Amino acid sequence: EVQLVESGGGLVQPGRSLRLSCAASGFTFDDYAMHWVRQAPGKGLEWVSGISWNSGNTGYADSVKGRFTISRDNAKNSLYLQMNSLRAEDTALYYCAKDARYTVATIKDWGQGTLVTVSS
Amino acid sequence: QSALTQPPSASGSPGQSVTISCTGTSSDVGGYDYVSWYQQHPGKAPKLMIYEVTKRPSGVPDRFSGSKSGNTASLTVSGLQAEDEADYYCSSYTGSNNFDVVFGGGTKLTVL
């Protein structure tokens, strides 16, 4: 069974940094691209970032480009999101998500999310 | 990377069919057959219902179907059931890497 467990969320002041982690299990982690998707309270889904299986390619939403960095450690079956220069509008539930196999840009499995609140 | 456009709400009675639209551009929905649909119940993580415009993952009822015409994709739920009441989001490949995605704003489906 695929399990994705996010951690690292919390309350942080505007302008500060936070690092999210996602522990993956139940599948061969380095076979899949991975994503971070966020959902502001009461709002819709927003794709934040993605990374290829070997970290060779990364992508970012315009709203976070230059501030957030996605990375992965295949030896530790872990995905990360380094978030710098945080803004109030970054407040959201952040989901770790696994790509689907044999297709493109399809998110198959989701974690339960970790809440990030940016406020002074 | 503008969000895809979905109607904020849709509704239908049990047993009826309802269709939710998802409009993008030729750079996303219209340019690729990589449109997905997700169902999200309150307080839960999203669930993949449709991928590659028309395909259903294992375990998704065949009451759920997808289609696309030009820059607009659609999700049809036939034989509405109470448990279908949820938020539905479309997504599309944007042409970058093999995984860059843009989501729609979401549609709240109410079963009357």
Side-chain angles (χ1 to χ4, degrees), chain A residues 21-64:
Chain A
S21 299
C22 171
S25 61
F27 64 101
T28 305
F29 184 68
D30 55 12
D31 273 351
Y32 294 88
M34 297 292 293
H35 304 261
W36 287 101
V37 177
R38 69 185 180 184
Q39 187 168 32
K43 302 297 184 181
L45 301 174
E46 180 186 15
W47 180 81
V48 173
S49 184
I51 187 167
S52 62
W53 66 275
N54 64 352
S55 304
N57 291 300
T58 58
Y60 299 92
D62 288 344
S63 58
V64 306

Side-chain angles (χ1 to χ4, degrees), chain A residues 33 35 37 39 43-47 50-52 57-62 95 102-108 110-112, chain B residues 1 34 36 38 40 43-48 51-52 57 89 91-94 97-105:
Chain A
H35 304 261
V37 177
Q39 187 168 32
K43 302 297 184 181
L45 301 174
E46 180 186 15
W47 180 81
I51 187 167
S52 62
N57 291 300
T58 58
Y60 299 92
D62 288 344
Y95 290 104
Y102 307 128
T103 185
V104 169
T106 301
I107 296 174
K108 178 64 171 68
W110 303 69
Q112 289 305 306
Chain B
Q1 286 186 356
Y34 293 113
S36 299
Y38 301 86
Q40 187 180 35
K44 301 294 187 182
K47 174 186 176 182
L48 179 66
Y51 68 102
E52 292 183 12
Y89 296 90
S91 74
S92 174
Y93 178 47
T94 63
N97 300 305
N98 267 347
F99 46 75
D100 284 23
V101 165
V102 61
F103 283 99

Side-chain angles (χ1 to χ4, degrees), chain B residues 44-109:
Chain B
K44 301 294 187 182
K47 174 186 176 182
L48 179 66
M49 304 300 285
I50 296 287
Y51 68 102
E52 292 183 12
V53 180
T54 62
K55 297 179 180 179
R56 280 188 309 276
S58 174
V60 172
D62 60 6
R63 302 185 294 104
F64 291 85
S65 62
S67 62
K68 190 185 85 167
S69 177
N71 295 338
T72 298
S74 299
L75 172 71
T76 297
V77 185
S78 305
L80 271 175
Q81 298 182 5
E83 59 262 36
D84 298 333
E85 183 162 301
D87 293 324
Y88 290 84
Y89 296 90
C90 63
S91 74
S92 174
Y93 178 47
T94 63
S96 298
N97 300 305
N98 267 347
F99 46 75
D100 284 23
V101 165
V102 61
F103 283 99
T107 299
K108 169 66 176 176
L109 175 60

Side-chain angles (χ1 to χ4, degrees), chain A residues 4-108:
Chain A
L4 300 167
V5 180
E6 304 91 339
S7 61
L11 176 63
V12 60
Q13 293 179 328
R16 305 297 291 263
S17 299
L18 206 59
R19 188 194 196 207
L20 305 184
S21 299
C22 171
S25 61
F27 64 101
T28 305
F29 184 68
D30 55 12
D31 273 351
Y32 294 88
M34 297 292 293
H35 304 261
W36 287 101
V37 177
R38 69 185 180 184
Q39 187 168 32
K43 302 297 184 181
L45 301 174
E46 180 186 15
W47 180 81
V48 173
S49 184
I51 187 167
S52 62
W53 66 275
N54 64 352
S55 304
N57 291 300
T58 58
Y60 299 92
D62 288 344
S63 58
V64 306
K65 201 171 293 183
R67 300 188 298 123
F68 289 12
T69 302
I70 191 171
S71 62
R72 65 191 294 163
D73 185 335
N74 287 346
K76 294 182 178 180
N77 288 349
S78 293
L79 177 72
Y80 307 101
L81 185 68
Q82 177 66 43
M83 304 185 296
N84 298 332
S85 303
L86 282 161
R87 306 167 179 167
E89 53 265 35
D90 295 319
T91 294
L93 185 66
Y94 283 74
Y95 290 104
C96 169
K98 168 184 159 288
D99 215 43
R101 200 160 199 181
Y102 307 128
T103 185
V104 169
T106 301
I107 296 174
K108 178 64 171 68

